[in-house]
Amino acid sequence: MRALSVAWRPAAAWNTLWPALAWLLSLALLPWWLGLPLLLALLACALLWPRWRAPGHVGLIRRGLRWGLPGLMFALQRALGGDAFALGAALLGLLSGYTLLAGLEAWLDRDRQREPVSTSTPPLEWPELALAPVDPPAQIVELQPPAWQLAGADLPDPRGGTVSCGDGICEFANGGRIDLPGPAGAVAQVDFSPRGDWFAACTADRHRLLLWDRRRDRRFELRGWQLCGWHHEQPWLSRGDESAPLNLAAVLGSDDLD
């Protein structure tokens, strides 16, 4: 069906174009004193007979004037000898004719311009307009600050059991293990999200941060980012106390972290 539609459109355009070209060529070949009365007759139909102002008739008259005017000017310059003076006179007549045609079209469209613009919904009254929301409601993010603990003893796991950290490794009750950031033997701090879905660890200088998504077993090691807190069981990070916190998806430039 699509191929049939594409093949039909050029034929439809040609069926509209060839009568206009034939009309232009006819006025160019006829003497100008025969072509001028034909164009004046079209103009009189548009101005004097209201029934010719119907949309279909008006469109036909407009195309007749637009395409017929160049043909008439070509016949005129041919009658004047075809020299530079004749060409200048034809161009001046063409410019003047299209200017008058633009004024005629504006006059014919005066009723259409006066029609009120219909709206699907009535306009709001002042009280409704004043109470209408201007922007989408902003989401308030309340962060639960991290509760850092030194990684050197058995720590309670929010999911149950304890976590044993030592020699740069944390071992979980379910058998999971994770390497702490920083060199072996360095002091590190650890934290859990409120439900324990995330595990976080950072070096003592806070320059390296490790995040472990325990539900999907995905680990992220970041440099220069600090854990600001937890919101809806997701970590929010910043580069310092003066920078605004961002969620992990914004930091990584990925939306596949929900």
Side-chain angles (χ1 to χ4, degrees):
M1 181 64 70
R2 181 176 300 176
L4 179 59
S5 176
V6 171
W8 174 83
R9 287 179 181 177
W14 173 248
N15 291 336
T16 304
L17 184 60
W18 77 261
L21 292 176
W23 172 247
L24 187 152
L25 184 60
S26 299
L27 292 184
L29 296 179
L30 288 174
W32 69 270
W33 45 268
L34 287 180
L36 181 60
L38 294 176
L39 293 184
L40 292 178
L42 291 177
L43 184 62
C45 290
L47 296 177
L48 302 179
W49 284 278
R51 68 184 185 88
W52 285 92
R53 297 176 191 171
H57 294 161
V58 169
L60 183 62
I61 292 174
R62 287 180 177 179
R63 288 193 297 271
L65 293 174
R66 290 172 185 172
W67 287 87
L69 187 59
L72 177 64
M73 290 301 104
F74 182 81
L76 177 62
Q77 69 89 25
R78 190 183 63 215
L80 293 178
D83 54 5
F85 172 78
L87 181 60
L91 292 177
L92 181 60
L94 188 64
L95 178 61
S96 302
Y98 275 123
T99 302
L100 294 176
L101 182 58
L104 173 64
E105 292 183 350
W107 182 79
L108 292 175
D109 293 338
R110 69 191 185 283
D111 295 334
R112 185 181 304 174
Q113 295 174 359
R114 293 174 184 173
E115 294 178 357
V117 179
S118 60
T119 56
S120 57
T121 57
L124 295 176
E125 297 296 336
W126 183 86
E128 298 176 352
L129 185 62
L131 296 176
V134 178
D135 293 321
Q139 180 183 6
I140 299 177
V141 177
E142 296 182 0
L143 297 179
Q144 180 177 340
W148 294 111
Q149 304 178 68
L150 292 177
D154 292 343
L155 305 175
D157 189 345
R159 287 188 167 185
T162 59
V163 181
S164 301
C165 297
D167 296 331
I169 298 176
C170 285
E171 298 182 355
F172 294 78
N174 60 0
R177 300 180 57 181
I178 188 170
D179 296 331
L180 297 176
V187 178
Q189 295 176 314
V190 299
D191 185 35
F192 294 90
S193 62
R195 294 199 303 265
D197 293 341
W198 285 81
F199 173 80
C202 68
T203 56
D205 55 8
R206 306 288 180 88
H207 288 169
R208 296 179 62 180
L209 175 66
L210 173 68
L211 295 173
W212 178 26
D213 184 355
R214 301 175 68 183
R215 291 185 306 166
R216 296 185 292 183
D217 193 19
R218 299 179 63 180
R219 307 183 185 190
F220 309 92
E221 187 167 352
L222 307 171
R223 294 178 180 269
W225 290 92
Q226 300 178 10
L227 178 63
C228 293
W230 308 96
H231 176 70
H232 291 170
E233 202 64 17
Q234 294 295 321
W236 284 67
L237 316 173
S238 71
R239 286 203 177 269
D241 296 335
E242 298 181 356
S243 61
L246 301 172
N247 58 20
L248 183 59
V251 172
L252 299 178
S254 173
D255 296 332
D256 187 24
L257 294 174
D258 297 333

